[in-house]
Amino acid sequence: MAPLDNRLQAVADFVPPGLPAADIGTDHGYLAAALVQSGRVSHVIASDLNLGPCEAARHTVRTQSLQDQIEVRQGSGLEPLAPGEVDTLCIAGMGGQLIASICEASPAILHSVHTLVLQPMNAASSLRHWLYRHGWYIADEALAIADGRLYEVIQARRGHRREPEPILLTIGPILWEKKPPELRHHIESLLFTQRRAAAGMEKSLRAVRSKKYKDIMQQIKQLEAHLKW
């Protein structure tokens, strides 16, 4: 099997070694296969909502002779899991708000795990906010570039910590602390999105007078300030 791309490798690197994990939205099962083949974990439950990805994952499992280490289950969100089956949930390649909704929809499963490894495609700030409001804190973060796109990867652990200020929820509190080489690119990408939103609102006088516009302009100012370190 080909090596994982940088995005999925960053997810794999955040999975605690030795403890069973679940790969939610597994697609072809590549992450699950890499986790057991590398010896990082001995057992993975790989699940997906749709039959097609489940069949693709089962094909990966069969061709790699991993039937004793990977179970493929079809179902929505965390529903294919039973409480206590795994210690880590990996959810990658979905929107941040969808990830939060999946977690919130299955409290019994969520309360039985100790680590979340999340890779939101958008709305990472909202996801970080949700984590701190629901008994989780961000233990580590990484940035990964794959196919020319920058991805955020979050490792969250159970426990209560003080919620970071909003601008750090946007940037990533651990990213800001660690300052990886891709951080400037990350902040500039966030700035591009906010400036584009502001430009769109500036076509309407009513929009310019709104609280939303003022909030966007404040965030632009804060992001610009965080380009200097």
Side-chain angles (χ1 to χ4, degrees), residues 8 25 77 163 194-195 204:
L8 287 180
E163 184 174 337
Q194 295 290 39
R195 286 170 176 160
S204 163

Side-chain angles (χ1 to χ4, degrees), residues 93-152:
M94 304 181 197
Q97 292 179 340
L98 176 58
I99 292 173
S101 297
I102 286 172
C103 291
E104 198 161 352
S106 299
I109 304 299
L110 189 65
H111 292 159
S112 72
V113 302
H114 297 91
T115 305
L116 304 176
V117 184
L118 312 173
Q119 184 271 296
M121 299 297 284
N122 55 47
S125 176
S126 297
L127 179 58
R128 291 184 180 103
H129 177 72
W130 183 91
L131 289 167
Y132 279 94
R133 293 299 174 94
H134 289 82
W136 297 85
Y137 70 95
I138 297 172
D140 207 349
E141 294 178 298
L143 295 170
I145 297 176
D147 296 326
R149 177 168 177 173
L150 188 66
Y151 297 94
E152 300 171 68

Side-chain angles (χ1 to χ4, degrees), residues 49 55 61 81 92 94 100 122 155 175 179 212 219:
L49 173 63
E55 288 300 318
V61 170
L81 304 176
M94 304 181 197
N122 55 47
Q155 184 197 68
L175 293 176
K179 294 184 174 58
K212 182 178 179 180
Q219 188 161 86

Side-chain angles (χ1 to χ4, degrees), residues 6-175:
N6 290 339
R7 175 181 73 94
L8 287 180
Q9 187 59 56
V11 174
D13 289 343
F14 276 168
V15 175
L19 300 172
D23 177 19
I24 307 301
T26 191
D27 198 13
H28 284 74
Y30 295 151
L31 174 63
L35 287 171
V36 297
Q37 287 179 323
S38 67
R40 192 168 191 92
V41 302
S42 60
H43 185 73
V44 177
I45 297 172
S47 73
D48 206 284
L49 173 63
N50 298 310
L51 178 60
C54 287
E55 288 300 318
R58 290 186 180 106
H59 175 74
T60 298
V61 170
R62 286 194 304 271
T63 58
Q64 301 296 315
S65 300
L66 299 173
Q67 295 93 327
D68 292 338
Q69 294 170 283
I70 299 176
E71 296 179 62
V72 180
R73 302 177 185 175
Q74 184 178 357
S76 176
L78 307 184
E79 290 177 4
L81 304 176
E85 281 192 299
V86 299
D87 190 80
T88 302
L89 298 178
C90 301
I91 310 178
M94 304 181 197
Q97 292 179 340
L98 176 58
I99 292 173
S101 297
I102 286 172
C103 291
E104 198 161 352
S106 299
I109 304 299
L110 189 65
H111 292 159
S112 72
V113 302
H114 297 91
T115 305
L116 304 176
V117 184
L118 312 173
Q119 184 271 296
M121 299 297 284
N122 55 47
S125 176
S126 297
L127 179 58
R128 291 184 180 103
H129 177 72
W130 183 91
L131 289 167
Y132 279 94
R133 293 299 174 94
H134 289 82
W136 297 85
Y137 70 95
I138 297 172
D140 207 349
E141 294 178 298
L143 295 170
I145 297 176
D147 296 326
R149 177 168 177 173
L150 188 66
Y151 297 94
E152 300 171 68
V153 182
I154 299 167
Q155 184 197 68
R157 294 188 183 274
R158 178 172 303 288
H160 292 276
R161 298 288 190 278
R162 184 174 183 176
E163 184 174 337
E165 59 182 300
I167 191 61
L168 292 184
L169 291 177
T170 298
I171 295 171
I174 308 300
L175 293 176

